[in-house]
Amino acid sequence: MAGQLDYHAMCEIFTRFQAAEPEPMGELDHVNAYTLVVAVALSAQATDVGVNRATRDLFKIADTPQKMLDLGEEGLIQHIKTIGLYRNKAKHVMKLSRILVEDYGGCVPNSRAALQSLPGVGRKTANVVLNMWWHYPAQAVDTHIFRVGNRSGICPGRDVVAVERAIEDNVPVGFQRHAHHWLILHGRYTCKARKPACGTCLIRDLCLFEDKTL
């Protein structure tokens, strides 16, 4: 685990990220807050590309909790059976849809606690929804961010909550809204797990990773 980079380095890193990608976007397709919740819940241990392929037709017919309940669990399974753990995920989607209809009038709540009370929705999913739909600077830490944060010194921490707190505490406020998207994209396409592309890295000169590649 690297040490925490100082304020000046953090400012420079996120200035570069912002210049390269001013408005980074999540890669899961959705049409409203509900479909975003469903898409993120389905994405656990699956790729965004695979989830988008599965939900392309699903969201045309089931873009609200009530429509999902009308479709039914078996109908949902037919759309998502190419995704890992699809049976458990289908059960969670149906349960959370029923809770949204019965307890929230069919609307998705916008507090982390309320979101996390839904079946299949953990802290990361809640933070993604808060950030992407309501533009709240919540930091959704996935494996990419955990790796980048600890390699580089941007947000080191021994667990995902510690990394989340390191982002909140150390990333300058003006960059907070998009911070987790920049870090995810950096981990997905540059600071990759097996062979980081250090030679083309925007922040190579600032990164504390000792085992840089050419």
Side-chain angles (χ1 to χ4, degrees):
M1 182 191 300
Q4 174 66 55
L5 287 165
D6 66 22
Y7 175 78
H8 301 292
M10 295 289 283
C11 287
E12 179 61 23
I13 284 171
F14 283 93
T15 296
R16 293 181 192 180
F17 283 157
Q18 184 177 60
E21 188 68 59
E23 293 289 332
M25 303 292 291
E27 296 182 336
L28 285 172
D29 294 338
H30 59 283
V31 296
N32 54 31
Y34 171 70
T35 55
L36 179 57
V37 170
V38 172
V40 181
L42 293 176
S43 72
Q45 300 182 49
T47 66
D48 289 356
V49 171
V51 173
N52 290 341
R53 188 181 302 117
T55 59
R56 186 175 297 120
D57 292 330
L58 172 65
F59 290 159
K60 293 177 182 178
I61 60 174
D63 60 353
T64 70
Q66 186 58 60
K67 289 179 182 178
M68 190 66 76
L69 292 175
D70 294 341
L71 177 64
E73 186 173 323
E74 288 303 316
L76 171 58
I77 285 174
Q78 293 308 305
H79 286 276
I80 68 169
K81 60 186 178 182
T82 56
I83 300 174
L85 306 176
Y86 67 91
R87 290 196 180 277
N88 282 337
K89 290 176 180 179
K91 292 182 185 299
H92 286 152
V93 169
M94 300 310 293
K95 288 178 181 177
L96 73 83
S97 298
R98 186 164 301 284
I99 291 171
L100 289 175
V101 169
E102 294 179 352
D103 296 347
Y104 295 97
C107 297
V108 176
N110 61 356
S111 80
R112 184 182 289 117
L115 285 166
Q116 284 189 249
S117 72
L118 300 173
V121 177
R123 187 178 183 89
K124 184 185 79 171
T125 297
N127 282 344
V128 170
V129 176
L130 291 173
N131 184 286
M132 289 181 62
W133 193 255
W134 283 287
H135 309 305
Y136 178 76
Q139 308 301 331
V141 177
D142 68 353
T143 56
H144 295 300
I145 294 181
F146 190 82
R147 179 176 67 256
V148 171
N150 279 293
R151 272 182 178 172
S152 66
I154 293 173
C155 47
R158 296 193 179 280
D159 54 47
V160 294
V161 175
V163 170
E164 180 182 333
R165 178 59 58 84
I167 298 173
E168 294 172 344
D169 289 349
N170 295 285
V171 175
V173 170
F175 301 114
Q176 288 270 339
R177 179 184 161 194
H178 293 312
H180 93 273
H181 277 132
W182 283 317
L183 292 170
I184 287 172
L185 293 173
H186 190 64
R188 185 172 289 166
Y189 299 112
T190 301
C191 193
K192 293 176 282 190
R194 293 186 179 179
K195 191 176 181 181
C198 299
T200 59
C201 178
L202 285 174
I203 63 168
R204 180 187 174 100
D205 57 315
L206 299 166
C207 173
L208 298 180
F209 186 42
E210 294 181 354
D211 193 22
K212 291 185 177 72
T213 59
L214 297 177

